[in-house]
Amino acid sequence: MSKRRDFLAANAGKRAPMPGFVLLMRPRDDGDATMRIGFTVTKKIGNAVVRNRMKRRLRALARDLLPARGVAGADHVLIGRNGGVERDYALLLTELGKALGKVAR
C-alpha cells in the first residue's frame, strides 16, 4: 500500500497492539482476494537508520507469516513501536501470529 487514504481506511478496521508493533487489518470487500500490506514507523521511534531497520524487520515478518496466516482480501498495516528493533525476531514472529489470530476473528 502506498496511498494515505488506504492507511486511513485500515485505521478504521481491527487493531491488535503488541509490544513490538501494532497490526491493523481491514477487509476491503471489493471481491479481490489479494492481501495488501503497509508499513509505518514514525519519527518518535528514532532516526532514519533505526526507522529503516524497523521497517526491514516488519517486512521480513510479513514475508514469513502473512502468506500463510493473513486474511485474504484485506489490507494489513504494521506500525512499528518503540523497542521493536531490540526485540528478538522469534518473539516478534510469535507476536505477529497472535495478532493475526486476534484480527482474523
Side-chain angles (χ1 to χ4, degrees):
M1 294 178 7
S2 60
K3 292 193 165 81
R4 183 172 192 270
R5 66 179 171 183
D6 294 333
F7 283 88
L8 292 175
N11 197 30
K14 294 182 181 179
R15 173 181 295 263
M18 293 288 153
F21 58 87
V22 177
L23 173 68
L24 306 175
M25 190 278 299
R26 186 181 80 87
R28 285 193 313 275
D29 299 328
D30 61 357
D32 187 10
T34 308
M35 277 188 275
R36 294 192 310 178
I37 182 78
F39 306 98
T40 302
V41 181
T42 64
K43 287 186 177 180
K44 287 191 276 185
I45 303 303
N47 62 12
V49 173
V50 173
R51 291 194 310 268
N52 286 331
R53 186 177 299 141
M54 185 67 200
K55 280 190 263 188
R56 283 195 302 271
R57 293 191 83 177
L58 292 175
R59 281 190 206 106
L61 285 170
R63 191 174 30 250
D64 287 346
L65 216 53
L66 271 183
R69 308 243 341 248
V71 179
D75 290 342
H76 299 78
V77 176
L78 284 168
I79 303 171
R81 284 183 128 177
N82 235 351
V85 174
E86 292 88 19
R87 291 183 76 77
D88 184 42
Y89 183 77
L91 188 58
L92 286 173
L93 204 57
T94 58
E95 288 174 357
L96 182 58
K98 270 197 253 179
L100 286 169
K102 276 186 186 180
V103 297
R105 287 188 241 133

